[in-house]
Amino acid sequence: MTDDFMTGQGDDSRVTLRPMTAHDEEEFIELVRASAELHHPWMSLPATPEEFQTYLGRYDDPLTAEGLLVCVRDTGAIAGVVFVNSIIRGRFQSASLGYAAFAPSAGRGYMSEGLGLVLRHAFEDLRLHRLEAQIQPGNHASLKLVQRLGFRYEGCSPELLFIDGAWRDHERWVITTSMIDGFAGDPHPTLPVH
């Protein structure tokens, strides 16, 4: 696909990343509807054209957030979505992550590979230092995913996010550049020197 901006390393990579655009509306909504049971009660994604356009507007400014699609390399099909939200610069150099697999391709490891690419993008291209995923304690698949990628548990925040009609408790899982072997990226220019 010509608009992919990142692929996995080596010939065995099965996924690519690309920004979510208005052209993805129909496929995205179809996948959200097909994945309603998989996502409930963990997350709610846009399921109508109006909701999709509003959601897409959250990612108009790449300085504060990015919506990225994990696509199957061989077919271009969307396997999942990852959101890099609330990018904060200065002394923090941090962002929060949201992500979801789509039912037709769930359980095949695509999100593990895709989220690995997002980590590389966030640390190398965006030059962030820290990424945090907030996960409901009962979402075992999501917890296993971040554990597999090397995130560390930092605690539980009661009533952190409003999901499925209620304020939900979330565990906070974090990964920083210092937790990745061999990472030698340059700091972002907004990081103060003292």
Side-chain angles (χ1 to χ4, degrees), residues 144-191:
K144 287 178 186 174
L145 174 59
V146 294
Q147 290 169 0
R148 199 168 35 249
L149 291 170
F151 284 65
R152 73 173 172 245
Y153 174 75
E154 286 200 338
C156 187
S157 295
E159 301 181 12
L160 181 67
L161 297 173
F162 191 79
I163 297 175
D164 194 34
W167 290 99
R168 307 286 178 181
D169 298 350
H170 282 72
E171 294 184 8
R172 295 182 324 280
W173 289 81
V174 172
I175 193 164
T176 65
T177 55
S178 62
M179 296 168 64
I180 298 175
D181 290 335
F183 181 78
D186 294 325
H188 193 269
T190 61
L191 182 68

Side-chain angles (χ1 to χ4, degrees), residues 26-84:
E26 186 176 331
E27 183 180 3
F28 190 91
I29 290 170
E30 182 179 310
L31 289 166
V32 166
R33 290 177 179 165
S35 305
E37 188 174 316
L38 176 67
H39 295 162
H40 186 266
W42 316 120
M43 107 175 319
S44 178
L45 292 170
T48 68
E50 298 78 18
E51 290 173 351
F52 180 84
Q53 290 304 317
T54 299
Y55 210 77
L56 191 60
R58 294 169 56 178
Y59 304 98
D60 284 345
D61 182 359
L63 297 177
T64 60
E66 291 189 359
L68 305 170
L69 298 176
V70 176
C71 299
V72 178
R73 179 183 247 180
D74 292 342
T75 65
I78 299 171
V81 61
V82 180
F83 304 106
V84 181

